[in-house]
């Protein structure tokens, strides 16, 4: 929660600082890319580091990098170079933290509790993403540009807490499996594991669909003359619905089964996107958005569970890093392709095409085979 809180307050605040400094708008895109370039370049190496060095060391590295980023923003963020450096440090720290967190959840949880554990984990992440921007409201009020210096100072204090929590973590040691010739297993061995590429594809499409709803719901509202405040309520409803589905994910999975739940949730989101493309009253659109949020909230934690169950302990860092890499590619490719293909159809056309992509992902999810729980002596049912 703390990692996501810091990230989701620093990213918009750094943009406000750039605007405060009169930085040309073209540089705002560079500033955003500076955060995203680290996950694309360093995702696989960070996963390898988790598998070789252990989750705790990489978690500590992530916390230190995020703390350093807050210091750079606070004391060197009076120019473009400082803002870029802070963004790169933040992106790298966020990457290390998230990869290690996901591997840690997989390695300390009993296999039959994966769905509940990853549901709680993604719920906490969503909570941090919701609370973080609240600091901007707290220190911005009615101002067009908030007190960026104050926000940077507060995030320094938050990262001190993050460091303390990380240092206090004492995860159990996990096995580091090897291939038949005794050498450490690599990405080639990982990609050959049954169902892994399908799980990565499903995760990629679902996260891209989340991004599309964030971008195109406001566009849909503008096309239909819906007030921006109402659109904000719709986006909040989507987020709250996703958090609710994650909080009760363990019970839902035990009731319906993981594969049926994953396929059903994707189908619900796809149907909701198609329905949203049809003109309707705002209150009815709110119900549709709730359905979309419920469906999209399930996909990410369930694909994490599938990867954790399909991968031995010493390869889970790399598996989660592959997932993050695929997600980043999906966040770039899928929305861009949808926008190009639906240029003549407006926001409604994009939503329909996204529903088509989700339908294909649902078919792939239906072919995933659930592995029987394996005996992992290091697993602890501590969720």
């Amino acid at each position: 929660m703390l990692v996501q809180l810091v990230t989701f307050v620093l990213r918009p605040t750094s943009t406000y600082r750039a605007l405060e400094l009169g930085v040309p708008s073209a540089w705002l895109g560079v500033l955003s890319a500076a955060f995203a370039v680290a996950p694309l370049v360093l995702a696989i190496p960070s996963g390898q580091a988790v598998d070789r060095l252990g989750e705790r060391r990489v978690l500590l590295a992530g916390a230190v990098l995020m703390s350093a980023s807050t210091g750079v923003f606070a004391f060197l963020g009076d120019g473009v170079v400082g803002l870029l450096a802070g963004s790169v440090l933040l992106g790298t720290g966020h990457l290390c933290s998230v990869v290690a967190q996901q591997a840690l959840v997989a390695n300390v949880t009993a296999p039959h509790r994966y769905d509940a554990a990853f549901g709680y984990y993604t719920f906490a992440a969503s909570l941090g993403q919701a609370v973080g921007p609240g600091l901007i409201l707290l220190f911005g009020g009615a101002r067009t540009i908030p007190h960026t210096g104050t926000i940077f100072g507060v995030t320094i204090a938050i990262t001190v807490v993050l460091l303390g929590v990380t240092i206090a973590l004492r995860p159990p040691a996990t096995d580091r499996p090897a291939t038949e010739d005794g050498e450490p297993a690599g990405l080639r061995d990982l990609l050959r594991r049954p169902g892994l590429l399908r799980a990565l594809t499903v995760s990629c499409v679902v996260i891209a669909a989340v991004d599309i709803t964030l971008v195109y719901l406001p566009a849909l509202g503008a096309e239909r003359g819906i007030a921006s405040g109402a659109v904000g309520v719709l986006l909040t409803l989507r987020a709250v619905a996703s958090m609710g589905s994650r909080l009760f994910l363990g019970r839902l999975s035990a009731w319906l089964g993981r594969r049926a739940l994953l396929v059903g949730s994707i189908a619900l989101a796809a149907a909701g996107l198609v329905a949203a493309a049809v003109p309707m009253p705002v209150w009815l659109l709110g119900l549709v958005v709730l359905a979309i949020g419920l469906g999209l909230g399930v996909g990410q934690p369930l694909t994490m569970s599938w990867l954790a169950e399909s991968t031995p302990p010493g390869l889970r860092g790399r598996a989660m890093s592959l997932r993050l890499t695929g997600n980043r590619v999906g966040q770039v490719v899928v929305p861009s392709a949808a926008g190009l293909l639906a240029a003549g159809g407006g926001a409604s056309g994009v939503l329909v095409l996204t529903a088509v992509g989700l339908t294909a992902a649902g078919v792939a999810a239906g072919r995933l085979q659930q592995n029987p729980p394996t005996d992992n002596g290091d697993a602890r049912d501590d969720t």
Side-chain angles (χ1 to χ4, degrees):
M1 186 191 73
L2 289 171
V3 165
Q4 298 298 335
L5 188 157
V6 170
T7 301
F8 274 71
V9 70
L10 281 181
R11 292 196 70 189
T13 303
S14 65
T15 300
Y16 278 124
R17 172 59 66 88
L19 295 173
E20 193 176 24
L21 296 172
V23 172
S25 58
W27 278 95
L28 297 180
V30 178
L31 192 63
S32 178
F35 174 86
V37 70
L40 284 175
V41 176
L42 300 176
I44 303 302
S46 68
Q48 293 171 333
V50 169
D51 292 332
R52 292 173 181 172
L53 304 176
E55 300 90 349
R56 186 170 182 269
R57 292 181 180 179
V58 180
L59 281 170
L60 282 170
V64 169
L65 287 168
M66 294 191 74
S67 299
S69 73
T70 60
V72 169
F73 280 127
F75 300 109
L76 302 176
D78 54 356
V80 174
V81 174
L83 293 176
L84 289 174
S87 295
V88 170
L89 287 172
L90 180 63
T92 307
H94 180 267
L95 169 71
C96 292
S97 298
V98 169
V99 171
Q101 285 167 9
Q102 293 177 8
L104 179 60
V105 171
N107 287 332
V108 302
T109 304
H112 71 280
R113 293 281 292 167
Y114 278 152
D115 295 341
F118 281 111
Y120 296 145
Y121 169 74
T122 51
F123 173 84
S126 298
L127 183 60
Q129 293 170 8
V131 173
L135 292 179
I136 298 176
L137 176 63
L138 181 63
F139 295 104
R143 291 169 55 93
T144 303
I145 296 179
H147 298 286
T148 55
T150 303
I151 297 175
F152 287 146
V154 171
T155 52
I156 290 177
I158 296 173
T159 54
V160 170
V161 177
L162 172 63
L163 273 171
V165 173
T166 307
I167 291 171
L169 282 175
R170 290 292 186 273
T174 55
D175 295 332
R176 309 293 174 200
T179 56
E180 294 180 359
D181 59 3
E183 293 298 322
L187 290 178
R188 183 175 298 178
D189 305 285
L190 182 61
L191 290 171
R192 289 173 178 169
R193 303 192 73 84
L196 189 134
L197 283 176
R198 277 201 188 97
L200 292 174
T201 301
V202 172
S203 177
C204 167
V205 175
V206 170
I207 194 66
V210 172
D211 273 16
I212 284 175
T213 61
L214 292 175
V215 173
Y216 283 97
L217 272 180
L220 186 72
E223 289 178 2
R224 297 180 182 175
I226 300 174
S228 59
V231 173
V233 172
L234 292 176
L235 291 173
T236 301
L237 285 174
R238 187 206 62 80
V240 170
S242 292
M243 291 173 68
S245 66
R246 290 169 174 178
L247 187 60
F248 299 103
L249 187 62
R251 295 180 183 179
L252 290 171
S253 180
W255 178 38
L256 298 172
R258 183 186 297 163
R259 182 168 57 184
L261 178 59
L262 181 58
V263 173
S265 66
I266 292 174
L268 178 64
L273 288 171
V274 172
V278 179
M280 63 182 68
V282 175
W283 66 267
L284 184 56
L285 182 59
L287 295 178
V288 170
V289 168
L290 274 174
I292 293 172
L294 286 170
L296 294 179
V298 169
Q300 293 305 297
L302 282 189
T303 53
M304 290 181 196
S305 295
W306 231 298
L307 289 177
E309 190 175 70
S310 303
T311 311
L315 286 176
R316 286 173 182 155
R318 271 165 276 199
M320 297 304 174
S321 66
L322 272 175
R323 177 184 164 277
L324 287 173
T325 302
N327 287 353
R328 292 295 182 271
V329 172
Q331 286 175 302
V332 173
V333 174
V334 175
S336 300
L340 289 174
L341 293 173
S348 297
V350 172
L351 295 180
V352 171
L353 285 173
T354 304
V356 173
L358 281 174
T359 301
V363 172
R367 295 175 180 174
L368 286 170
Q369 298 297 321
Q370 184 155 347
N371 300 324
T374 55
D375 182 17
N376 180 2
D378 295 317
R380 291 189 287 109
D381 188 6
D382 63 350
T383 57

